[in-house]
Amino acid sequence: MEKCAFYFQGDNVLAPYEWNETEAELFEFPLELSKLFNSPDIFKLFALNGKTDMTCVSVSPKDALPNGWKSITVRRILSVYAGSDNNNLSNIIRSCHIAQWKRESRFCGTCGTENDFLPEHAQRLCPNCGRAEFPRICPAIIVLITDSENRILLAHNKRFRAGVYSHISGFNEAGESLEETVVREIREEINIEVNNIEYIKSQPWPFPNSLMLGFKARYLSGTIKPDGEEIEDAKFFSKDSLPELPGEGSLSRMIINNWLAEKY
């Protein structure tokens, strides 16, 4: 059987033909095709189930693609295959994350020596000073905020496409619990207080290295006032007056869908 591999360029998956969204493509292609690229980084990566291994081909972001090759964002793949039985999605997310980290961790942060890569542990190890490094994972919270009228609070971030609203979110800081992150981010970004904080679900988010942790909370007090730096607008919405929402496949959309289905 011909050896196949995942092909990546940053947080995009590469495919050697026109991508057809109606086909549940596995996105693994013959390793022989790696010869078409200029000095790609080819490495083995063990899947988390411990039963299989994957081969990954990481292409420099500066390189032009060969004729016929297409670049598809992993976000798009998550959106198209949300809720499907495509078992390769978790492997794509894992290998995309590590391919980006591997490119950024080539040299030891202590002595500057070129690192070795240990695929069985997804680990960098300095052959000179012995410093070990593992893929960076940045925890970030995302919060479903509801009020006594069972409305949902959604906000428009400056980075969003015009008209799109989603949950308040933000990165966990050193020395801070996740619950404290929830309270701080909401207070900083929209000037309100919440209580009844409960964990919902998590999702790996390799853009480039996040772990999204979903929570729900109840509005307690305060007047909504967007910070103007990240958040341009925020308000409560009822189920029959929702704005444009995040794409399917994201934790934010899953939380909204479950709220609509009255699971929270």
Side-chain angles (χ1 to χ4, degrees):
M1 184 176 180
E2 187 174 17
K3 184 68 174 178
C4 289
F6 291 115
Y7 287 75
F8 294 98
Q9 188 175 47
D11 58 9
N12 288 358
V13 172
L14 302 181
Y17 56 78
E18 186 73 35
W19 184 47
N20 186 344
E21 294 184 4
T22 64
E23 299 177 0
E25 180 56 60
L26 296 178
F27 292 99
E28 286 188 285
F29 306 105
L31 181 59
E32 180 73 15
L33 296 176
S34 63
K35 295 180 180 179
L36 298 173
F37 296 92
N38 178 32
S39 300
D41 179 19
I42 302 173
F43 61 96
K44 181 180 290 187
L45 182 64
F46 287 84
L48 293 178
N49 61 19
K51 298 179 181 179
T52 60
D53 64 89
M54 303 169 282
T55 299
C56 305
V57 178
S58 180
V59 178
S60 170
K62 298 179 181 179
D63 288 352
L65 299 183
N67 290 335
W69 281 74
K70 306 297 177 184
S71 179
I72 307 119
T73 66
V74 174
R75 289 174 186 263
R76 181 65 181 146
I77 294 171
L78 288 173
S79 176
V80 170
Y81 296 123
S84 74
D85 294 326
N86 190 326
N87 294 325
N88 250 18
L89 281 179
S90 62
N91 287 342
I92 289 172
I93 292 171
R94 175 170 167 77
S95 51
C96 175
H97 185 150
I98 292 177
Q100 294 180 84
W101 163 76
K102 194 168 179 287
R103 182 172 294 279
E104 296 169 353
S105 60
R106 182 178 171 186
F107 297 99
C108 175
T110 299
C111 70
T113 302
E114 186 166 1
N115 280 320
D116 294 330
F117 178 66
L118 282 61
E120 62 271 24
H121 303 297
Q123 175 186 356
R124 286 288 203 186
L125 186 64
C126 177
N128 181 51
C129 70
R131 179 181 184 271
E133 181 178 340
F134 295 88
R136 181 181 181 185
I137 300 175
C138 298
I141 58 89
I142 187 166
V143 194
L144 168 72
I145 304 171
T146 56
D147 67 2
S148 59
E149 300 177 40
N150 196 30
R151 297 179 299 172
I152 186 175
L153 189 147
L154 298 173
H156 177 73
N157 192 296
K158 286 185 176 181
R159 297 173 298 173
F160 293 170
R161 187 176 71 253
V164 174
Y165 282 68
S166 186
H167 307 287
I168 295 297
S169 62
F171 286 101
N172 174 252
E173 296 285 351
E176 184 178 57
S177 72
L178 293 170
E179 292 79 6
E180 288 170 336
T181 305
V182 169
V183 172
R184 176 183 54 77
E185 286 289 347
I186 292 171
R187 182 182 296 147
E188 289 178 353
E189 294 190 356
I190 55 174
N191 192 50
I192 67 171
E193 302 296 327
V194 297
N195 62 4
N196 298 337
I197 299 168
E198 295 182 32
Y199 171 74
I200 298 175
K201 187 180 177 63
S202 65
Q203 180 186 33
W205 198 246
F207 309 113
N209 49 32
S210 296
L211 174 65
M212 302 302 296
L213 298 129
F215 288 83
K216 62 179 180 177
R218 177 71 69 167
Y219 167 76
L220 178 62
S221 63
T223 300
I224 297 173
K225 182 180 179 182
D227 64 7
E229 295 181 8
E230 291 189 49
I231 305 301
E232 291 184 321
D233 187 37
K235 62 187 72 172
F236 281 102
F237 295 90
S238 61
K239 291 183 178 181
D240 59 359
S241 63
L242 291 175
E244 185 177 353
L245 301 174
E248 297 286 352
S250 64
L251 180 60
S252 57
R253 183 58 178 268
M254 184 276 290
I255 290 174
I256 293 171
N257 289 347
N258 284 346
W259 172 74
L260 287 169
E262 300 185 350
K263 293 183 179 181
Y264 304 135

